[in-house]
Amino acid sequence: MSSRRRLQSGLPTWRKSAYLLRYLLGPSFLEGSVSAASRLIYFLFLRTTITCGEETPSDFDRNSGDWSGSKFCNDRCLVARKAQLIKGITDGIEAVLKFLCLPMLGVISDLNGRNTIMAVSLIGLASSLAILSTAAYLKKGTPIFPLCILAYVIQGVTESFTLGSNANISDIVRTTRERGHAFGLIEVFRLFSQGFAIVIVTAAFISANSYNYFPLYLALCVLAGMTVPLPHLTIPESNIDDRDQEVIDEEENNHLLSSRISPFGVFNVFTPYLTVLGLLVFFVIFGVAVLTISPAFVIGAYRWTQTLAVLVAIAIGTFGFLATVCAPRLIGAFGARKVLRGAVITANIGSVVLVLSPLHEAFFILGALLCVIAIIGFPAFNALVSGKVEKDQVGKMLGAFSSIGIAAYAIGSPVYSAIFSAVGSGGDCGSDTVLSLVWLPWGLAAVSMSIASFILYRFTQTFPESEDDVQEIGASATGNKLNNNEKKSINNSLAEAKMSNDLLKRPANLEDVEMRVLHGEARKNTSPVMKAEK
């Protein structure tokens, strides 16, 4: 038995998860910090590049709520709408490319290991930051928009760090409840790294209300470049070492490999159970994507300064962090399914409250708070789906779910940004827009979240809770049938044992195969292998 398996049977769940994930923490902290900082300042940087007829006076009070954020345009409302439209377009382009490329990256992680795609993701992050540094150095002009598009094209083609780390967790953690603890722990750490970066950047840079973002982008680029070798240097490969060379050779020579890496071919791994959850992901992400207009909305509707907007985001994010800290214990106490259900209902209520946000800022804060707290559902969702396929299909399956979420964001982000650009945010920024439709982006998000709640209700009615752990209990003493992959794996193991005349001796390698197939849940005296021996 491997050291990881001995560890899994001998430590409490929290300590076990922390021990298993210790190699991921350093790279995850750096990647999360750099990514969060770059996305935080992107909208603020775009504001500095907007031009119009009237420039901002050099002695203008930049701590005022009337400050536009751009040296080249003094119209606060126009700057916010134009910057948000550019952000929505580039976010949409990035998301479309992720939809096309993540399945390929998921398959690559199954074939060549998880560390490879994590390194590729970090290379892409460093490259995109280098391009944004160039755009920040130019400050204004025609090249700004093409450079932003190029930077987000690179990120869309390469970003896969979270997929790689999640697949790594699925490789080394067996049961649904333990995966819930592990995913919850890594999500807490990611949020901590993101919050750390946001606080530092806000205190050191954003609060200064600067027009020049070149030094910050350059520093982030250098830090991302230094992080590139860390996955291969610090994270043991969780996939390749445990797989048979014959399986690897068969997959590498498979003439159907092209269908596996297509954005649609990956969905052949979906069962009806996973298909319904895929629909849930689409409508949840489409609904949550409305928050992409939040910075522009609060600056326009409530005349918040960019510093105040970021501080409120930090405060709301803190509650999301605390909720995520509680996720592993809640999953352990109530199960992943109930935690996911509570998260979706909470997000649905939050989206309805956000429809009232044009009336008063209190509605925005409350609605955003409820949506952020619903992040508790992500570890629960990952715990549910990650045990539904064979180990060599985990990257493919996670890539498929990521593609669904990204497709929803690719549609939602530009749609919400375009609607916001057309209808405005209300307040004194709504005079030249259709004021009666200010609520429209928030209402569209509420409809999407309501559809997600209905899908989850149908899911709970269609699939009993016993199916959540089908791979773990499917071959147990309860007498449930094995799926086809399990049968094939057991039959191959028995055939190899018979050829070597070791069946009666029950060699250790056969025990390991049984443990791998049945995930350690079946009782030895009722396992299919033991029955076959008898």
Side-chain angles (χ1 to χ4, degrees):
M1 185 182 293
S2 67
S3 60
R4 279 178 175 172
R5 286 176 181 166
R6 287 195 300 269
L7 174 68
Q8 287 185 10
S9 61
L11 286 180
T13 305
W14 264 103
R15 290 182 57 197
K16 182 190 310 180
S17 299
Y19 184 85
L20 290 172
L21 303 182
R22 67 193 187 281
Y23 301 110
L24 285 170
L25 298 185
S28 295
F29 181 86
L30 293 174
E31 191 274 343
S33 298
V34 173
S35 295
S38 64
R39 294 191 181 277
L40 171 68
I41 66 174
Y42 182 54
F43 172 75
L44 306 180
F45 157 68
L46 289 176
R47 291 173 71 206
T48 68
T49 67
I50 303 300
T51 61
C52 65
E54 182 182 358
E55 294 189 356
T56 302
S58 57
D59 59 348
F60 194 92
D61 182 11
R62 283 185 260 175
N63 292 315
S64 166
D66 293 322
W67 180 54
S68 68
S70 172
K71 181 189 297 185
F72 312 111
C73 182
N74 197 29
D75 188 334
R76 173 175 58 89
C77 303
L78 179 64
V79 167
R81 294 209 307 272
K82 283 189 173 183
Q84 181 58 47
L85 184 60
I86 295 173
K87 181 178 182 295
I89 292 172
T90 53
D91 284 350
I93 291 173
E94 178 194 19
V96 168
L97 290 172
K98 282 184 180 179
F99 173 78
L100 296 174
C101 296
L102 261 182
M104 176 183 65
L105 294 169
V107 173
I108 290 174
S109 76
D110 288 334
L111 295 176
N112 299 318
R114 316 307 186 191
N115 294 345
T116 299
I117 63 168
M118 286 192 276
V120 167
S121 181
L122 291 169
I123 292 172
L125 177 61
S127 302
S128 66
L129 287 171
I131 295 171
L132 289 174
S133 299
T134 304
Y137 180 78
L138 296 176
K139 295 184 180 179
K140 69 173 183 175
T142 304
I144 299 295
F145 186 49
L147 286 173
C148 290
I149 290 179
L150 179 60
Y152 275 75
V153 163
I154 293 175
Q155 282 197 227
V157 170
T158 60
E159 187 171 343
S160 53
F161 191 92
T162 300
L163 186 151
S165 62
N166 285 350
N168 190 295
I169 293 171
S170 297
D171 292 340
I172 62 180
V173 183
R174 298 297 184 187
T175 68
T176 297
R177 289 183 183 271
E178 289 181 351
R179 282 194 302 272
H181 278 266
F183 282 121
L185 181 62
I186 198 67
E187 194 67 33
V188 166
F189 196 77
R190 286 172 183 157
L191 289 177
F192 174 77
S193 65
Q194 293 167 5
F196 175 81
I198 289 172
V199 169
I200 295 298
V201 170
T202 301
F205 194 87
I206 292 178
S207 60
N209 296 319
S210 175
Y211 290 121
N212 183 16
Y213 282 80
F214 171 71
L216 183 54
Y217 269 125
L218 184 62
L220 293 174
C221 175
V222 172
L223 184 58
M226 295 171 60
T227 310
V228 169
L230 286 185
H232 283 291
L233 293 177
T234 63
I235 304 175
E237 184 54 65
S238 63
N239 186 35
I240 295 299
D241 293 341
D242 293 338
R243 299 172 61 208
D244 297 333
Q245 187 60 42
E246 293 181 2
V247 175
I248 298 174
D249 293 340
E250 180 182 353
E251 290 176 344
E252 290 178 341
N253 296 324
N254 192 343
H255 68 283
L256 296 177
L257 183 61
S258 60
S259 66
R260 291 187 64 198
I261 65 176
S262 73
F264 302 103
V266 294
F267 295 107
N268 60 19
V269 75
F270 273 22
T271 61
Y273 180 102
L274 296 178
T275 300
V276 176
L277 289 178
L279 289 173
L280 175 68
V281 168
F282 181 88
F283 286 101
V284 167
I285 299 301
F286 185 86
V288 172
V290 73
L291 294 177
T292 189
I293 69 173
S294 295
F297 175 80
V298 298
I299 288 173
Y302 311 136
R303 297 181 64 188
W304 288 2
T305 65
Q306 66 180 25
T307 303
L308 177 59
V310 172
L311 290 176
V312 171
I314 292 173
I316 293 174
T318 301
F319 284 92
F321 173 80
L322 295 176
T324 307
V325 170
C326 298
R329 292 190 177 276
L330 290 176
I331 293 172
F334 301 103
R337 178 181 291 229
K338 291 181 180 178
V339 173
L340 177 62
R341 186 188 308 161
V344 173
I345 293 174
T346 301
N348 195 359
I349 296 173
S351 66
V352 173
V353 174
L354 283 172
V355 176
L356 303 175
S357 58
L359 300 179
H360 195 274
E361 57 193 30
F363 291 112
F364 173 82
I365 294 174
L366 177 60
L369 181 62
L370 291 173
C371 289
V372 169
I373 289 176
I375 198 174
I376 196 174
F378 283 102
F381 177 84
N382 285 329
L384 281 177
V385 303
S386 57
K388 306 302 293 184
V389 296
E390 294 293 330
K391 184 176 179 180
D392 61 348
Q393 298 287 312
V394 169
K396 182 179 179 181
M397 184 268 297
L398 292 177
F401 275 114
S402 297
S403 293
I404 292 172
I406 288 164
Y409 188 82
I411 298 171
S413 180
V415 166
Y416 292 128
S417 297
I419 294 174
F420 174 81
S421 181
V423 305
S425 55
D428 58 357
C429 283
S431 58
D432 57 342
T433 59
V434 187
L435 280 175
S436 59
L437 296 178
V438 168
W439 58 268
L440 187 57
W442 310 105
L444 181 59
V447 170
S448 181
M449 289 302 306
S450 297
I451 295 174
S453 296
F454 176 75
I455 290 173
L456 185 58
Y457 169 76
R458 294 298 303 165
F459 171 80
T460 58
Q461 296 297 309
T462 305
F463 301 98
E465 193 166 357
S466 59
E467 293 192 26
D468 292 346
D469 292 322
V470 67
Q471 278 198 320
E472 297 159 5
I473 66 173
S476 68
T478 60
N480 293 335
K481 294 182 179 179
L482 294 169
N483 61 37
N484 291 332
N485 289 329
E486 289 170 337
K487 291 178 180 178
K488 180 180 177 181
S489 180
I490 292 175
N491 289 335
N492 290 341
S493 302
L494 290 174
E496 292 174 3
K498 289 178 180 178
M499 291 178 62
S500 61
N501 294 320
D502 287 335
L503 180 59
L504 297 178
K505 298 179 181 179
R506 189 173 177 81
N509 64 331
L510 187 57
E511 293 179 352
D512 289 340
V513 169
E514 180 188 351
M515 183 175 297
R516 175 175 61 82
V517 174
L518 304 181
H519 295 291
E521 295 294 325
R523 299 293 186 266
K524 290 186 177 181
N525 61 345
T526 58
S527 71
V529 178
M530 181 65 79
K531 289 180 179 179
E533 289 181 353
K534 292 181 180 179

